[in-house]
């Protein structure tokens, strides 16, 4: 009997241990709740024939088509006349990952530009040239759709070997040249059938790279076989630029160093071939923020590689209408980000020429206007919110090319909250509250639900104009010591800086002067 009890206790302990271990593993591996909406699409991938010189290549090139109806591939290619965009997948990625961006770009083109933003815009001040919002036309409709191409790199693990990265770079060069040739072939086919062509052919391709594909995009720009001015705009998503995430092979680190050195030398020697090419190239790096555990933000920075006159890095948490951190793969389908990127790329198209805006500073200004908000400088100092500003003067200092940054005009420092108005401020007496979001729409905010998965903080952003603000009052639970504190000690002031507002009882906060229009919780 004693032996049976001992065995029963042992079995119970083993079962409980296994149960606890399984719960712990599930907690570690369960998807992070990031607030992203799924993107839906009806994808069709049209193969693009390779030139004879590459007929034996293991890689491939595809054109994306959005729609549930079957189409004739040859006839569709014959009508090709949009703005070419090439998607480059990352380590182990698929060309089919282009589907979210391509589908939303098609919907954005048909739906037209979004309503003008109601909240503070980012500064468009650049060294030696002021580009005002009036210099960027307000579009009622987009001039031309985006034609999304994607390279099939066989799902190879480009993060493991520098030789693989070099092979991917060389194929991307061929893909860019093939895309530009395809537009000429399509136009010739239309003319042969009697069509009258008045517009000019595209002479450049926008590159969008995910993860290692973003680095491949930059490597292609400094490749000697790239046609002159064939790439002038690069957008990377969760892509390492400074160094490989894991230098498993010496060749990987060597290739990164070689490409980055070519970029640095290109800016130093402007009259060289590389320098002439880079002078027209804009690079935008979007990071996934704190939830991206594969590529950290410091690797995605362009510091020391691309001057701030030609690009910047921004966290997805700082992108207009997004304000979410996301995992490494999620950045490809997170609808809030995909929609904003789609409208941004469509905004690059000049309504007069039907091609991307030629001036690099104007393109940079469009990216700034469409992606960045008038974010307070304190935000950029945090690793999970880090963003580079393209001569956006958040604080005084010099960038690595020696240009001076200026200060954004702030509200008068003597403006302060008055305790007399606390009763009229926004209080949260129930778990749910209505807030005005960055897109001007009212949203329900369920604090209790936000805190149910263990989260202790969340981010709240409004679109109030500068020098106005809202204080968020979180009422503590009854019976706690905070319930007897004066109202001024229970308030979280959310206008002068980005702050974390707890999902539980409000801690003591010090009121600060009004400067901006952002809340975080």
């Amino acid at each position: 009997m004693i032996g049976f009890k001992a065995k029963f206790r042992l079995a119970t302990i083993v079962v409980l241990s296994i149960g606890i271990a399984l719960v712990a593993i599930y907690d570690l591996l369960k998807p992070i709740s990031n607030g992203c909406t799924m993107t839906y699409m009806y994808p069709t991938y049209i193969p693009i024939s390779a030139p004879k010189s590459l007929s034996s290549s293991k890689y491939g090139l595809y054109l994306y088509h959005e729609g549930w109806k079957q189409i004739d591939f040859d006839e569709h290619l014959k009508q090709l006349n949009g703005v070419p965009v090439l998607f480059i997948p990352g380590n182990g990625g698929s060309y089919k990952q282009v589907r979210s961006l391509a589908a939303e770009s098609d919907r954005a083109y048909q739906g037209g530009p979004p309503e003008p933003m109601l909240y503070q815009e980012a500064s468009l001040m650049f060294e030696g040239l002021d580009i005002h919002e009036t210099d960027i036309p307000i579009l009622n409709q987009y001039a031309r759709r985006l034609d999304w191409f994607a390279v099939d790199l066989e799902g190879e693990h480009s993060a493991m070997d520098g030789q693989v990265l070099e092979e991917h770079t060389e194929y991307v060069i061929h893909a860019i040249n093939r895309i530009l040739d395809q537009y000429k072939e399509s136009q010739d086919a239309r003319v042969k059938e009697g069509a009258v062509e008045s517009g000019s052919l595209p002479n450049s391709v926008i590159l969008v790279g995910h993860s290692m594909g973003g680095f491949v995009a930059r490597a292609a720009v400094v490749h000697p076989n790239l046609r002159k001015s064939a790439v002038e705009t690069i957008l990377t998503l969760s892509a390492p630029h400074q160094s490989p995430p894991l230098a498993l092979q010496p060749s990987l680190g060597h290739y990164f160093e070689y490409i980055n050195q070519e970029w640095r030398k290109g800016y130093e020697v402007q009259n060289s071939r590389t320098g002439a090419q880079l002078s027209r190239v804009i690079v935008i790096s979007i990071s996934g923020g704190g939830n991206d555990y594969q590529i950290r933000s410091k690797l995605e920075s362009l510091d020391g590689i691309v001057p701030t006159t030609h690009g910047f890095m921004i966290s997805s948490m700082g992108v207009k209408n997004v304000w979410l951190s996301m995992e490494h793969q999620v950045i490809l389908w997170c609808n809030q980000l995909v929609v904003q990127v789609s409208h941004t790329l469509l905004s690059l198209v000049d309504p007069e020429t039907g091609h991307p805006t030629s001036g690099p500073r104007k393109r940079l200004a469009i990216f700034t206007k469409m992606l960045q908000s008038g974010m307070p400088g304190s935000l950029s100092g945090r690793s999970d919110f880090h963003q580079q500003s393209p001569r956006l003067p958040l604080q005084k200092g010099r960038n690595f090319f020696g240009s001076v940054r200026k200060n954004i005009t702030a509200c008068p420092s003597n403006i302060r909250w008055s305790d007399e108005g606390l009763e009229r401020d926004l209080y949260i007496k129930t778990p749910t509250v209505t807030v005005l979001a960055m897109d001007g729409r009212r949203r329900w905010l369920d604090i209790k639900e936000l805190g149910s998965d263990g989260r202790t903080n969340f981010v709240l952003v409004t679109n109030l104009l500068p020098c106005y603000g809202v204080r968020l009052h979180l009422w503590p639970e009854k019976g706690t010591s905070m319930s007897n504190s004066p109202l001024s000690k229970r308030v979280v002031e959310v206008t002068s800086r980005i702050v974390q507002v707890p999902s539980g009882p409000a801690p003591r906060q010090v009121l600060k002067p009004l400067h901006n229009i952002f809340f975080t919780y």
Side-chain angles (χ1 to χ4, degrees):
M1 189 67 179
I2 297 176
F4 174 77
K5 289 183 177 180
K7 292 179 180 179
F8 180 77
R9 291 195 192 97
L10 180 61
T12 302
I13 293 173
V14 171
V15 170
L16 288 175
S17 300
I18 294 174
I20 293 172
L22 291 175
V23 170
I25 293 173
Y26 171 77
D27 191 59
L28 288 173
L29 299 180
K30 70 177 180 181
I32 299 173
S33 178
N34 51 35
C36 283
T37 304
M38 181 64 74
T39 302
Y40 296 94
M41 68 293 294
Y42 297 95
T44 299
Y45 305 95
I46 304 172
I48 305 297
S49 60
K52 293 180 180 180
S53 60
L54 284 178
S55 57
S56 61
S57 174
K58 59 183 176 180
Y59 304 133
L61 176 64
Y62 291 85
L63 170 65
Y64 181 92
H65 171 70
E66 173 64 18
W68 58 273
K69 295 182 179 180
Q70 289 186 348
I71 60 171
D72 182 279
F73 287 0
D74 293 334
E75 188 63 29
H76 186 78
L77 284 175
K78 191 185 301 180
Q79 304 305 321
L80 193 67
N81 66 346
V83 175
V85 185
L86 177 62
F87 172 77
I88 309 171
N91 177 59
S94 168
Y95 68 95
K96 294 183 178 181
Q97 291 174 314
V98 71
R99 57 188 180 269
S100 295
L101 284 162
E104 284 301 340
S105 294
D106 187 71
R107 282 189 276 270
Y109 172 76
Q110 297 182 44
E115 292 295 323
M117 302 305 172
L118 301 177
Y119 49 89
Q120 182 187 14
E121 301 286 352
S123 168
L124 299 179
M125 294 280 291
F126 298 88
E127 182 187 18
L129 177 65
D130 291 351
I131 300 180
H132 302 285
E133 291 179 31
T134 55
D135 297 325
I136 302 176
I138 298 177
L139 304 175
N140 295 320
Q141 63 182 24
Y142 292 122
R144 191 167 292 185
R145 70 171 65 247
L146 303 178
D147 293 329
W148 282 86
F149 296 82
V151 286
D152 179 10
L153 301 176
E154 291 286 300
E156 292 181 339
H157 294 285
S158 53
M160 305 298 176
D161 194 338
Q163 179 63 36
V164 175
L165 271 182
E166 290 190 51
E167 293 176 359
H168 288 184
T169 302
E170 291 173 359
Y171 185 78
V172 165
I173 298 296
H174 291 294
I176 293 170
N177 296 338
R178 181 68 189 92
I179 289 170
L180 295 176
D181 290 341
Q182 180 62 57
Y183 280 86
K184 180 65 168 62
E185 294 173 12
S186 298
Q187 186 186 71
D188 290 344
R190 294 193 299 269
V191 171
K192 188 175 181 179
E193 293 181 351
V196 178
E197 297 291 332
S198 58
S200 59
L201 292 170
N203 55 15
S204 67
V205 178
I206 297 173
L207 300 186
V208 176
H210 172 244
S211 189
M212 300 301 288
F215 179 78
V216 169
R218 280 203 307 110
V221 171
V222 294
H223 197 284
N225 292 339
L226 180 69
R227 295 180 187 177
K228 182 180 179 180
S229 302
V231 174
E232 295 186 342
T233 303
I234 298 175
L235 176 68
T236 68
L237 304 171
S238 293
H241 293 291
Q242 297 291 333
S243 62
L246 288 174
L248 299 177
Q249 296 286 342
S251 60
L252 199 61
H254 293 330
Y255 193 56
F256 262 79
E257 181 57 32
Y258 167 73
I259 295 301
N260 286 341
Q261 190 60 30
E262 287 295 301
W263 276 72
R264 296 185 185 101
K265 289 192 301 184
Y267 289 115
E268 293 172 359
V269 185
Q270 291 291 315
N271 58 358
S272 65
R273 178 193 177 278
T274 302
Q277 169 70 5
L278 294 182
S279 65
R280 300 187 57 81
V281 176
I282 295 299
V283 184
I284 307 299
S285 173
I286 301 180
S287 73
N291 282 348
D292 189 345
Y293 296 110
Q294 294 188 42
I295 310 293
R296 306 307 298 176
S297 295
K298 65 179 181 180
L299 296 182
E300 299 168 89
S301 170
L302 300 172
D303 284 345
I305 302 172
V306 179
T308 53
T309 51
H310 288 73
F312 61 87
M313 187 196 84
I314 182 172
S315 167
S316 59
M317 292 198 72
V319 175
K320 287 179 182 178
N321 300 328
V322 181
W323 301 100
L324 297 168
S325 179
M326 53 199 67
E327 294 170 282
H328 192 63
Q329 299 296 330
V330 174
I331 200 170
L332 285 171
W333 58 257
C334 181
N335 191 256
Q336 293 93 322
L337 180 67
V338 167
V339 168
Q340 195 68 19
V341 168
S342 299
H343 283 290
T344 300
L345 295 179
L346 285 165
S347 299
L348 293 176
V349 183
D350 190 318
E352 296 183 1
T353 65
H355 301 305
T357 301
S358 59
R361 289 196 174 187
K362 195 167 184 178
R363 265 181 286 131
L364 186 63
I366 292 172
F367 273 112
T368 302
K369 178 180 174 62
M370 293 298 295
L371 296 179
Q372 295 196 3
S373 64
M375 193 172 294
S378 60
L379 183 63
S380 61
R382 294 176 50 181
S383 59
D384 55 340
F385 287 153
H386 177 71
Q387 67 176 22
Q388 277 179 257
S389 182
R391 304 241 187 263
L392 296 183
L394 297 180
Q395 60 185 15
K396 289 183 178 180
R398 293 182 177 269
N399 64 17
F400 79 105
F401 283 90
S403 63
V404 180
R405 295 181 178 179
K406 306 173 185 178
N407 283 327
I408 291 179
T409 302
C411 299
S413 59
N414 59 348
I415 297 181
R416 295 181 179 275
W417 287 113
S418 170
D419 289 347
E420 298 176 358
L422 285 176
E423 294 294 344
R424 298 190 298 272
D425 287 337
L426 174 64
Y427 293 89
I428 297 182
K429 297 183 180 180
T430 62
T432 306
V433 67
T434 303
V435 297
L436 189 62
M438 287 293 291
D439 56 5
R441 300 177 182 177
R442 294 191 177 276
R443 306 282 176 82
W444 287 101
L445 192 68
D446 193 326
I447 293 180
K448 184 177 181 180
E449 179 66 24
L450 287 169
S452 63
D453 62 352
R455 292 176 59 188
T456 57
N457 300 279
F458 50 91
V459 178
L460 170 65
V461 186
T462 69
N463 63 337
L464 300 177
L465 295 174
C467 296
Y468 290 85
V470 172
R471 281 179 292 182
L472 194 63
H473 295 185
L474 299 182
W475 286 72
E477 299 175 359
K478 292 182 179 180
T480 63
S481 58
M482 282 291 295
S483 61
N484 298 323
S485 302
L487 292 177
S488 61
K489 302 303 182 184
R490 307 181 210 165
V491 67
V492 178
E493 191 274 300
V494 288
T495 54
S496 66
R497 58 194 173 92
I498 297 294
V499 295
Q500 289 189 335
V501 179
S503 58
R508 177 173 177 173
Q509 297 282 334
V510 179
L511 300 184
K512 294 191 178 284
L514 298 182
H515 283 301
N516 227 308
I517 32 169
F518 302 91
F519 325 75
T520 59
Y521 47 86

